[in-house]
């Protein structure tokens, strides 16, 4: 019996030493400490032995069992530690390495200009109004003094959905909508200053400076004492904020069906300070927007009384401003989603 125990222990030691990983160690454990282990067989066979023999063999067998258990536990710890170390090594992070740049997207140049214009006007009390791109003929044309048959609503210029619905040709549709809404309120004060921006549509052939879809910001200030002098201040203030503080503006008489008087607004060239350069075509001035005082006809068409109220209005082409500000000479750049082009605006305004 004692011999058998020695053999078992030797065999166990051999197998323990040759186990190369957790799986093999599990096998050794199963073989030497399970129900069917040779050690258990010996204990079972002790029934036939004498009392003295049982005591002696029992004691020895127990020692062997403790030794096997302890050695197995120690080896398991060794292997588990080795596995953990391997894992830690693989997941090691060197915090002293430099960081890797994340490739963030950029704001679109048109959005940059819209944000800038929105800031300028909301800071002086204008509200932002959401508009609709699919508009009733009524608000896009009729209420803006563009009755049926007016040349500006010619089939060549406008996308018609049906006889009564068009893709808006300007953001001024929002002015008509707001005026009509204001005229119907019971509130005593019918004053409001608002801007609205978005896409507008014309049946244009696309080229370097024209697109069938482009963006506008339209604004108005409606009140009891709104004058042409207010309009002039608003336009100059906007240009100085948009370009630089030293620019001046120049007004030229013009015609729009919904304003009287109507003016084209030029800004003194912000690149050459009015001295003459390629950007301003040597004239020192750059044409940037159209504006005027809303005419009586339009006030009445939208339910307002031109005797007690007046309104200034302006419309700005976003692409035109963006092209001037960023020195872009092809309008198609805005719509091509070329990331090399867009990436140039990554740090604008920082
Ligand atoms: Zn110039």
């Amino acid at each position: 019996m004692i011999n058998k125990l020695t053999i078992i222990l030797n065999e166990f030691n051999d197998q323990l030493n040759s186990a190369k990983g957790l799986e093999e160690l599990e096998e050794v454990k199963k073989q030497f400490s399970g129900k069917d282990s040779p050690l258990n067989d010996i204990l079972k066979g002790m029934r036939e032995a004498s009392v003295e023999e049982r005591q002696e063999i029992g004691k020895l067998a127990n020692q062997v069992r403790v030794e096997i258990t302890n050695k197995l536990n120690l080896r398991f710890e060794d292997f588990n530690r080795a596995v953990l170390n391997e894992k830690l090594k693989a997941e090691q992070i060197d915090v002293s390495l430099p960081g890797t740049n994340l490739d963030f997207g950029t704001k679109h140049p048109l959005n940059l200009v819209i944000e800038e214009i929105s800031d300028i006007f909301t800071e002086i009390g204008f509200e932002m109004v959401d508009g609709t791109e699919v508009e009733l003929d009524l608000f896009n044309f009729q209420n803006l003094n563009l009755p049926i048959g007016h040349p500006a609503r010619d089939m060549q210029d406008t996308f018609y959905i049906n006889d009564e619905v068009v893709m808006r040709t300007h953001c001024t549709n929002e002015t008509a909508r707001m005026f009509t809404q204001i005229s119907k309120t019971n509130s005593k004060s019918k004053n409001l200053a608002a801007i609205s921006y978005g896409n507008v549509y014309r049946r244009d052939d696309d080229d370097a400076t024209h697109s069938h879809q482009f963006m506008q910001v339209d604004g108005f200030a409606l009140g009891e004492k709104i004058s042409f002098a207010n309009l002039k201040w608003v336009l100059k203030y906007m240009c100085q904020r948009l370009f630089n503080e030293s620019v001046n503006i120049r007004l030229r008489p013009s015609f729009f069906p919904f304003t009287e008087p109507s003016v084209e607004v030029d800004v003194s060239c912000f690149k050459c300070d009015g001295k003459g350069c390629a950007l301003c075509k040597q004239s020192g001035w750059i044409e940037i927007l159209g504006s005027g005082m809303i005419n009586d006809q339009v006030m009445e068409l939208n339910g307002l009384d031109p005797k007690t109220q007046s309104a200034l209005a302006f419309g700005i082409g976003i692409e035109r401003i963006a092209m001037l500000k960023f020195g872009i000479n092809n309008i198609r750049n805005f719509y091509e989603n070329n990331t090399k082009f867009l990436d140039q605006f990554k740090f604008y305004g920082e």
Side-chain angles (χ1 to χ4, degrees):
M1 283 292 190
I2 296 166
N3 264 350
K4 269 190 185 172
L5 282 171
T6 314
I7 291 166
I8 289 169
L9 196 57
N10 284 341
E11 209 176 305
F12 166 76
N13 281 330
D14 282 350
Q15 293 212 23
L16 183 75
N17 290 333
S18 61
K20 286 192 189 75
L22 279 171
E23 263 177 42
E24 287 181 32
L25 197 59
E26 284 290 350
E27 280 301 312
V28 178
K29 184 182 173 184
K30 217 159 140 191
Q31 203 180 329
F32 287 92
S33 71
K35 250 194 247 171
D36 303 324
S37 66
L39 194 61
N40 249 11
D41 287 344
I42 288 178
L43 290 170
K44 275 183 210 159
M46 277 192 350
R47 284 184 212 119
E48 288 135 36
S50 67
V51 178
E52 291 81 19
E53 270 180 330
R54 245 187 267 173
Q55 274 181 346
E56 196 189 347
I57 295 167
K59 200 175 157 193
L60 282 171
N62 205 38
Q63 279 174 358
V64 170
R65 184 168 49 207
V66 169
E67 190 173 340
I68 287 176
T69 310
N70 286 345
K71 279 186 170 171
L72 275 170
N73 285 344
L74 281 174
R75 190 55 59 91
F76 267 112
E77 266 179 40
D78 283 350
F79 280 146
N80 279 327
R81 196 178 305 122
V83 168
L84 183 67
N85 283 340
E86 276 297 310
K87 205 177 164 200
L88 287 175
K89 210 172 160 190
E91 291 174 4
Q92 197 175 33
I93 293 168
D94 184 352
V95 289
S96 66
L97 284 173
T100 314
N101 189 19
L102 279 179
D103 205 8
F104 287 118
T106 59
K107 279 186 184 170
H108 194 280
L110 295 180
N111 283 344
L112 290 170
V113 171
I114 287 167
E115 279 180 12
E116 223 173 316
I117 292 177
S118 302
D119 284 349
I120 292 169
F121 283 103
T122 50
E123 279 170 27
I124 55 171
F126 281 67
E127 280 181 28
M128 293 280 293
V129 181
D130 252 348
T132 171
E133 291 179 24
V134 181
E135 182 57 288
L136 290 172
D137 184 283
L138 183 75
F139 291 119
N140 194 77
F141 290 132
Q142 294 171 43
N143 280 15
L144 289 170
N145 203 22
L146 284 155
I148 290 161
H150 193 285
R153 48 189 296 168
D154 194 280
M155 284 296 283
Q156 280 174 353
D157 300 316
T158 310
F159 289 109
Y160 281 85
I161 306 287
N162 60 39
D163 286 349
E164 287 169 12
V165 181
V166 299
M167 297 304 288
R168 68 174 173 194
T169 55
H170 46 202
C171 282
T172 323
N173 67 321
E174 257 340 281
T175 306
R177 269 184 178 274
M178 293 299 292
F179 278 14
T180 303
Q181 211 175 313
I182 293 163
S183 74
K184 287 177 182 160
T185 59
N186 293 322
S187 149
K188 222 177 168 188
S189 164
K190 294 188 174 177
N191 301 343
L192 181 70
I195 58 167
S196 176
Y197 71 85
N199 291 322
V200 302
Y201 302 85
R202 305 272 175 94
R203 281 165 58 105
D204 248 339
D205 287 331
D206 294 358
D207 62 26
T209 52
H210 294 86
S211 168
H212 65 281
Q213 178 198 314
F214 53 101
M215 296 193 88
Q216 276 188 346
V217 174
D218 246 65
F220 69 83
L222 172 73
E224 282 152 26
K225 289 174 185 164
I226 300 289
S227 70
F228 194 83
N230 296 137
L231 174 65
K232 207 176 161 187
W233 181 85
V234 166
L235 296 172
K236 191 170 176 181
Y237 176 77
M238 184 201 79
C239 289
Q240 290 183 336
R241 287 279 307 268
L242 208 49
F243 299 107
N244 69 51
E245 278 177 19
S246 58
V247 298
N248 212 336
I249 57 165
R250 178 174 82 174
L251 307 179
R252 285 181 289 112
S254 184
F255 171 78
F256 303 110
F258 30 89
T259 47
E260 179 58 41
S262 302
V263 286
E264 290 280 357
V265 182
D266 297 340
V267 64
S268 59
C269 183
F270 45 86
K271 203 175 171 191
C272 64
D273 287 331
K275 290 184 195 84
C277 69
L279 183 68
C280 58
K281 297 187 184 100
Q282 309 305 328
S283 73
W285 294 95
I286 299 167
E287 183 185 328
I288 61 158
L289 63 98
S291 92
M293 299 300 290
I294 296 288
N295 66 25
D296 291 359
Q297 186 83 6
V298 171
M299 297 290 276
E300 280 166 3
L301 282 167
N302 291 287
L304 295 169
D305 180 4
K307 289 188 200 75
T308 57
Q309 280 185 297
S310 51
L312 61 84
F314 50 88
I316 307 161
I318 303 292
E319 282 84 350
R320 170 124 182 97
I321 301 290
M323 287 168 93
L324 288 170
K325 266 181 89 80
F326 304 128
I328 296 160
N329 51 24
N330 193 331
I331 198 169
R332 286 172 288 211
N333 284 336
F334 293 125
Y335 312 116
E336 284 170 346
N337 289 328
N338 179 345
T339 51
K340 276 186 188 156
F341 168 75
L342 296 173
D343 274 350
Q344 297 175 99
F345 303 94
K346 204 170 245 176
F347 302 109
Y348 178 74
E350 281 184 4

